[in-house]
Every structure is written in C-alpha cells, then in structure tokens.
Amino acid sequence: MTFTGPTILILILLLSVSTIHAEPVDQRTSNAGLPDPFMFSDGTRVSSKNDWTRRRAELQDLILRYEYGQMPPAPGNTQSVELQRNARDHHNQYKITCGPDQKISLVLDLLLPEGKGPFPVILRGDLCWGSVPDDLIKQITGRGYILAQFNRLEMAPDLGSETTLLRAAYPEKQFGAIAAWAWGFHRCVDVLTTLDFVDKTKIAITGHSRGGKAALLAGATDERIALTVPNGSGTGGADCYRVQGRQSEGIARITKNFPLWLAPDFKQFAGNEDRLPFDQHDVLALCAPRALLMTDALDDQYANPHGSFQTFHGAREVYKFLGVPDKIALHYRDGKHAQNEVDWKALLDYADQVFAGKPSQQNLNPKPFDDQLLFKWTAPESK
C-alpha cells in the first residue's frame, strides 16, 4: 500500500492525538505555574500574530478535548419563527429550531429599547432562573441595549441522562453540559445576526455561575461575539485550577457533584491540576482580541476570586501581545455569589466603553490581593 504525502501527515496527526490520550495523567509533566500560552506543543514559541492564530487553534482543540468535550458543529440549518412582536412593550419572541431534522429547539426572548436601531445586544442564557429584574431591564434598554434571554437548560439539564436533548441529537459527540449550553448561545447568535434591528458587530453575552461558565466557553469559541462577560463563573469558568482555596469548588467537587458538566475524563486531573496542559487563562485568551470582562465578588470564595486574579493577568499577556490590552478587564465588588446591580453596572459601563468609546467610571483591573503571580513568562515582542 502506498501513502501520499497528505495521507502520511494525517496518519502522523492521528497517532500524535492517540499518544496524548494514552498518556496516563501521572506521566504528564508537572507544572505548578500557569502554562505559557505562547508555547506550541512541539516546544516552539509564538513569535508573530500569524503564529498566534495557529496557537489559538491548537489551544482550543486541547481545551475542548480535555475539559469541555468536543461540542457539535454549527448545524447550518438554524431557523427562527416569530412567536410575538409587541410594539407597545418592545417585546419580541422567537422559536429557534436547528440540528438533525430540526429537532433541537429553544425560545429567544428580546426586550428592545426605544427607536429603530440597529442596537447592540446583551445575550443572557440564565432565563431558567428567571428574567432580569424590571429595574435592571429599564437600565439596560435605557442605555440603548437589547436584552436577549434564553433558557440554556433547553440544550442540556444540570443533572440528568447523558442521552437527553442535545446529546440525543449528536450521540457520536462526547461533550458536557457546559459545552451544550455554549452551543445554545451560538444558535441564538445565529438568529440575532439575521435581525435588521440588531447591530451584528456589537453582540455581548453574559451569564452567572454555571451560566458564566457557559458564557465564557461560548465567547471563546465564536468570533461573532464581541464582548464576553462571565460573572462569578468559578471552576470551569474564569477560576484558576492551580490556585484553590479551602472553600473553592475545584475539579474534585465539580466532577463529583455535576459529573455531566465537563468532558467524561476530566476528573482524572482532580488532585493533578499541576499536570493539566493548560489553565483557564488559556480559555480567556481564546476570546482575544475581542473584548472580555470578568466580574466577581470578593466574598465569593466558592468561585475563588484569587484564582480569577491569576487567570486575568495570564490572559492579559495575550491581549498585550495582540495590541489590545484595554480589551480585557476585571471587576470585583464586595459581597457574595450573585449577579446583582453592581455587576450589571460594570457590564454596561464596559460595554459602553467597548462599543461607544465612553470611558468607564468603574475601577477595572483592581489589585485587591498581594498574591504573587504564578508565571514568569511574558508576551513575545509582537511582529
């Protein structure tokens, strides 16, 4: 049998992937610091922005393979039907269908500002917990933003059978609920980009807690999303796996309490976080050069604000390298686990800065901790 050059290359790639999967976690190289996002798997280092494009693709594949699972591809057949258009209340609603035989469905709810648009939009996936309070809706639409909301649990439940909803439609794929929820964000973006009153260049997404984990992954894997805002996202979100407090969730807790959220084999890194080939600063970096705001509460020890402090600074090196250091921001507030009015004000102020050039009045990129950073590498000289 004769193999052509391309065939040989494919075989080499397949063998290398197989080797990675076969390597026991205790045989992986230990690294207590944050891995260098600029280092290719072959040991060479990024030296140009073109190199970063390739490294970004490599990182995304690595992160999905180990942590979240390979989410289904874009279905290419997303359709929407208008369920409601209430001009008086500025309330529109759409039913979205997509996937094999159009069996996947969800409802997208829109609250619009006064005027004709096109308007920037903030897409939230936490409608399963109820809508944003009325006073916040007035602030959001009053600033000229559409508030778009959907129930991410229409894609996958928090707890339940592996063969439900999205998993039933794509049984050949191995992915967790966070990846399914992120895929739901993407399908909503499919529809938002078809609406003439939406500014397609100014789509922001947000979510709280597990919804923040989903929002981060959605923003990291869809370049149509201009601003990503995970709030109190913790483990599997903006938190750092290598920096954990006694009360923080961590890999052991999340994979025990919510075994379907992440990729099936991710639990092997519980107690072996130093052997992960990446950390969450790499997930944040996948959003670059698009805008990213991390919002957290200082008393929310379960979501580990010390960890998000580390990942922010690690990801910011990538933003610096790409020449957009102001496109990543961090906001802390006093208080506990919630997405409250303070968080929303930080989001809206930063969105105004990113989308309209209005300087934010918020204290972004604060230094509430004296923690030593877990890395010594810096961004290469940009070429």
Side-chain angles (χ1 to χ4, degrees), residues 266-329:
F266 194 60
K267 60 180 178 291
Q268 69 180 308
F269 290 102
N272 296 296
E273 289 81 1
D274 59 314
R275 299 181 188 275
L276 262 174
F278 56 86
D279 213 308
Q280 293 306 93
H281 67 300
D282 292 311
V283 183
L284 300 171
L286 294 181
C287 295
R290 295 166 293 118
L292 171 70
L293 170 66
M294 301 154 58
T295 49
D296 280 289
L298 292 171
D299 297 329
D300 187 5
Q301 295 303 311
Y302 199 67
N304 195 12
H306 286 266
S308 62
F309 181 77
Q310 294 284 342
T311 58
F312 165 76
H313 285 283
R316 196 173 188 217
E317 290 298 314
V318 174
Y319 278 82
K320 289 178 183 176
F321 174 70
L322 296 176
V324 287
D326 293 333
K327 284 290 189 73
I328 183 171

Side-chain angles (χ1 to χ4, degrees), residues 31 81 93 98 137 140 144 154 167 170 181 242 279 307 341:
N31 181 2
V81 175
Q93 200 171 70
C98 60
I137 291 172
I140 295 165
E154 292 188 90
R167 295 188 189 94
Y170 296 95
W181 301 334
R242 285 167 167 81
D279 213 308
E341 186 172 358

Side-chain angles (χ1 to χ4, degrees), residues 146-304:
I146 297 169
L147 175 62
Q149 301 184 92
F150 75 101
N151 176 3
R152 56 186 160 73
L153 298 188
E154 292 188 90
M155 296 294 96
D158 278 333
L159 296 168
S161 169
E162 291 187 8
T163 58
T164 59
L165 306 176
L166 196 62
R167 295 188 189 94
Y170 296 95
E172 75 283 3
K173 295 290 183 180
Q174 291 289 322
F175 57 90
I178 294 172
W181 301 334
W183 194 87
F185 271 99
H186 296 168
R187 305 293 68 82
C188 291
V189 173
D190 289 348
V191 172
L192 289 171
T193 56
T194 69
L195 302 176
D196 58 7
F197 52 83
V198 170
D199 188 334
K200 302 164 186 58
T201 67
K202 297 177 180 178
I203 296 175
I205 64 171
T206 191
H208 169 60
S209 194
R210 63 199 68 180
K213 306 178 201 299
L216 174 57
L217 181 59
T221 53
D222 191 331
E223 296 185 12
R224 299 172 298 175
I225 295 167
L227 170 60
T228 301
V229 188
N231 181 85
S233 55
T235 298
D239 185 11
C240 181
Y241 288 122
R242 285 167 167 81
V243 176
Q244 294 289 310
R246 287 184 300 172
Q247 298 178 44
S248 55
E249 186 172 27
I251 297 176
R253 285 182 179 177
I254 196 172
T255 55
K256 178 182 178 181
N257 296 334
F258 303 101
L260 300 183
W261 281 10
L262 297 164
D265 293 335
F266 194 60
K267 60 180 178 291
Q268 69 180 308
F269 290 102
N272 296 296
E273 289 81 1
D274 59 314
R275 299 181 188 275
L276 262 174
F278 56 86
D279 213 308
Q280 293 306 93
H281 67 300
D282 292 311
V283 183
L284 300 171
L286 294 181
C287 295
R290 295 166 293 118
L292 171 70
L293 170 66
M294 301 154 58
T295 49
D296 280 289
L298 292 171
D299 297 329
D300 187 5
Q301 295 303 311
Y302 199 67
N304 195 12

Side-chain angles (χ1 to χ4, degrees), residues 332-349:
Y332 286 118
R333 61 164 171 81
D334 293 327
K336 297 186 178 181
H337 194 60
Q339 188 172 27
N340 63 20
E341 186 172 358
V342 176
D343 301 309
W344 275 97
K345 188 177 189 310
L347 188 165
L348 291 169
D349 283 359

Side-chain angles (χ1 to χ4, degrees), residues 63-83:
I63 289 163
L64 290 177
R65 189 189 327 151
Y66 278 107
E67 184 173 8
Y68 300 104
Q70 294 287 352
M71 68 176 67
N77 65 344
T78 305
Q79 299 177 10
S80 65
V81 175
E82 191 174 78
L83 300 177

